[in-house]
Amino acid sequence: MAFLGDVAAAGLGAAVTDTIFNPLAMITVRLQVDKDKVLYRDLRQCALRIFQEEGLLGLWLPGLVATWMRAFTQTGLRLGLYPSIKRLYQSAGLGDDNLAVKICSGATTGSLGAAIANPVDLIRVRLQGEAGLLRNGVYATGLRAGHPPRHAHTPRAFVDIFQQEGLGGLWRGVSANVARASLLSSAQLTTYDQCKQMAVHAGWLDGPKLHLASSCLSGFVAQIACMPADVVKTRVQCGQGVFRHPLHCAACILREEGPRGFYRGFAPAAARQVPVMAVQMPIVEQIRKRLFGLDYM
């Protein structure tokens, strides 16, 4: 049952880092949802406007509970199951810790985590996309200014979406979410694992310094790989009937915004992803070793 310790360590490390960087996640969502740049144009202007209108808590709190839930489900499974899945593929004869095994392992854990935890991620995106300053029960700022909140709080959001959209509503955008997580996980974990492996062979000590260096590179590579799917996922999850399916959404983005539309919000996404990985993976590695007595990944 060592994989339970793997998942718990990954979830705990993700919860810590996702809390720290939740403002950047929310800015990314708002930029992706506001495709016409009505309120938010870029990272700096978006962050400044939210801070001026809603304060520091307005940047930090929206979607935070859902972010914690996502850390212990989607991210916990994505990172935590990687060593076990890699050993499984190795025993099945796919190779001895080669690049193909790493890519397949990362893609598998990313897909599995995203498919299982899609409702949590959907609620996080919706809460962050519609967030704003409340006055007299309606939003005074944000993309839904003049409207009341669609959900009273995070647990209620699950009930509301189920009642209004059915069970399928909770898995809206799951294919785009799975595609994003598969690309993210395979790129990130393969880069991280490969960098560590090459550095150790070159004489580096497998420890925090190596984990930090590998993490920074893996975060940047991962965000480049998954960004188009990330934009599609966010638009579909927030669209509520605007798009028939992710491919329809992708076609609309390409037609209306061109290829650059798939990288809308890349700056805050990368500004979050790289430091998140730089903080998250070393923390996960230390939790694995010191709290659960596991080897480094």
Side-chain angles (χ1 to χ4, degrees), residues 207-219:
K209 291 182 180 180
L210 176 55
H211 302 160
L212 176 62
S214 302
S215 297
C216 290
L217 180 59
S218 73

Side-chain angles (χ1 to χ4, degrees), residues 34 44 62 68 71 73 86 137-138 141 158-159 192 239 253 257 273:
D34 189 12
R44 181 181 177 277
W68 292 335
T73 52
K86 189 170 72 168
V138 299
T141 65
F158 288 93
V159 178
Y192 180 77
I253 292 172
E257 304 170 55
Q273 193 69 256

Side-chain angles (χ1 to χ4, degrees), residues 37 41 66 72 153 160 201 219 223 243 245 266 288 297:
K37 303 182 182 181
R41 297 189 303 273
F72 282 101
H153 46 71
D160 292 341
H201 286 166
Q223 195 56 49
F243 306 109
H245 46 71
F266 178 76
R288 287 173 56 87
M297 289 180 66

Side-chain angles (χ1 to χ4, degrees), residues 261-293:
F262 290 108
Y263 281 85
R264 176 147 174 78
F266 178 76
R272 173 185 175 273
Q273 193 69 256
V274 174
V276 161
M277 293 298 104
V279 174
Q280 184 181 86
M281 293 308 296
I283 288 178
V284 169
E285 295 275 30
Q286 293 305 309
I287 290 174
R288 287 173 56 87
K289 192 171 186 67
R290 299 180 184 276
L291 193 59
F292 293 97

